[in-house]
Amino acid sequence: VALFFLHHGIGGDAGTRYDALVQLLSWGQLSTMKYSIIGPLFSAPLWFLGKVAMDSHWGVARFNFFVLVLGLVALWLLLRRRMQARTLRIFLIILIFASMFPFHITEYYGEVFTAVVVAVGIAAASQKSSLYTWLIPVIGAANTPASILGMCFVSIWEVLHRRTVRYASIALAVVGLVMFEAWVRRGYPMISGYEGNAGSTTLLPYSGRPGFSYPLFFGILSIVFSFGKGLIFFTPGLFLPLKATWQRLHPSIRHMYVQWLLFIVGLLLVYAQWWCWHGNIFWGPRFFLIASIPASF
């Protein structure tokens, strides 16, 4: 039903990403857009298939649907031996039907790729924490540079948990990949493409300022409690206590869950200061799609 009957579109920021993909695949030119090209690159097979079979726009518009499906399969395979089968089924069913994902997969925005790849990568690393496994969430986080702080928190937790500093390379890898992309596409590793980006000036004294100019306290308050965007309304499970069942969870599951939360805390601290913390005209807290995963869990 989600694949064939929901309306899938490529508009707004998603249109910019699609144009960058077409520019690269059709003419071999790298776009200097402010958004990452990492996620769109993974949709390239759908673009080529569309050129052969029907319409490239049709396939690429459904890219996030396929990302979610692959993510669900991966989570099932990773968690089925560490969770009760019934609990795992309910977790995934809630994620499919009662989270923010059904809406997000109808658009070509970058949040689905980051949320699924980071969450699945952390789940895989919590089972077998090798530096090679950590390449998965590193790629997902690099697709959204604002998630660097979240991956830094995850990296610090891993260093403390594993008692070895080599896991600090997780954070360094994300930063390095983001800077490398900026250098290749914009000519300098410190140019993000968001320089001077600002919203409209309103009655609020801190409006109209560019970048991370929103007061941290009000940003956190808004992201958590505001009507139409608040996490407490769109990911209520995130605020439920786990104390009664915490000790019954597999140790690696507890480790995974804490890392999911740490990543979200990093996002919260970053986006709380971003002038566009609300994600503009979009259903729900656009930048916090990944919160649906621990909330459903």
Side-chain angles (χ1 to χ4, degrees):
V1 170
L3 179 61
F4 292 107
F5 294 102
L6 291 184
H7 177 266
H8 296 262
I10 301 179
D13 298 349
T16 305
R17 290 181 172 89
Y18 180 75
D19 291 341
L21 179 69
V22 173
Q23 181 179 335
L24 177 62
L25 299 181
S26 296
W27 300 291
Q29 299 175 352
L30 278 170
S31 168
T32 58
M33 67 169 179
K34 57 189 176 184
Y35 312 115
S36 174
I37 196 71
I38 294 175
L41 280 177
F42 281 86
S43 67
L46 292 174
W47 187 85
F48 283 115
L49 283 173
K51 292 285 285 186
V52 175
M54 51 183 86
D55 174 26
S56 294
H57 191 280
W58 190 95
V60 174
R62 287 156 179 78
F63 169 65
N64 282 328
F65 166 83
F66 293 110
V67 171
L68 176 61
V69 170
L70 292 174
L72 292 169
V73 173
L75 285 173
W76 172 264
L77 294 174
L78 288 167
L79 302 179
R80 63 195 176 113
R81 299 187 186 280
R82 295 182 286 161
M83 290 178 62
Q84 292 181 349
R86 180 175 179 272
T87 306
L88 179 56
R89 283 198 301 272
I90 293 173
F91 161 42
L92 297 180
I93 288 171
I94 291 174
L95 194 63
I96 295 170
F97 289 100
S99 74
M100 294 190 287
F101 273 98
F103 177 79
H104 277 256
I105 61 174
T106 63
E107 299 285 348
Y108 186 55
Y109 283 75
E111 284 75 27
V112 174
F113 182 85
T114 293
V116 172
V117 174
V118 169
V120 169
I122 287 176
S126 67
Q127 183 172 335
K128 185 180 180 181
S129 186
S130 69
L131 291 178
Y132 295 108
T133 309
W134 278 106
L135 285 174
I136 302 171
V138 162
I139 291 172
N143 183 59
T144 305
S147 63
I148 287 177
L149 182 60
M151 282 306 293
C152 285
F153 286 166
V154 170
S155 180
I156 292 170
W157 175 265
E158 199 70 6
V159 168
L160 296 175
H161 181 77
R162 308 288 178 183
R163 296 182 179 180
T164 172
V165 295
R166 68 176 184 153
Y167 288 100
S169 59
I170 298 169
L172 295 176
V174 176
V175 174
L177 186 53
V178 169
M179 294 178 68
F180 176 75
E181 183 187 356
W183 175 52
V184 170
R185 294 203 298 116
R186 304 184 195 98
Y188 189 68
M190 301 303 293
I191 297 178
S192 68
Y194 283 89
E195 287 78 13
N197 189 278
S200 303
T201 302
T202 67
L203 292 174
L204 295 174
Y206 41 79
S207 64
R209 299 175 184 175
F212 297 92
S213 55
Y214 205 83
L216 178 63
F217 172 76
F218 291 120
I220 293 175
L221 200 66
S222 299
I223 289 170
V224 176
F225 295 108
S226 64
F227 294 106
K229 295 289 183 179
L231 292 176
I232 200 166
F233 302 109
F234 288 85
T235 58
L238 200 64
F239 302 91
L240 294 176
L242 275 176
K243 184 177 180 181
T245 57
W246 185 252
Q247 293 303 323
R248 296 205 298 270
L249 295 174
H250 191 280
S252 64
I253 296 290
R254 294 200 299 266
H255 187 68
M256 172 194 72
Y257 185 77
V258 170
Q259 288 179 319
W260 282 349
L261 294 185
L262 286 172
F263 185 81
I264 294 167
V265 169
L267 289 179
L268 179 62
L269 293 176
V270 170
Y271 280 118
Q273 300 177 76
W274 180 241
W275 72 267
C276 192
W277 59 265
H278 41 76
N280 217 325
I281 303 173
F282 200 85
W283 186 80
R286 171 183 159 194
F287 303 131
F288 295 90
L289 176 63
I290 192 172
S292 291
I293 296 175
S296 301
F297 178 83

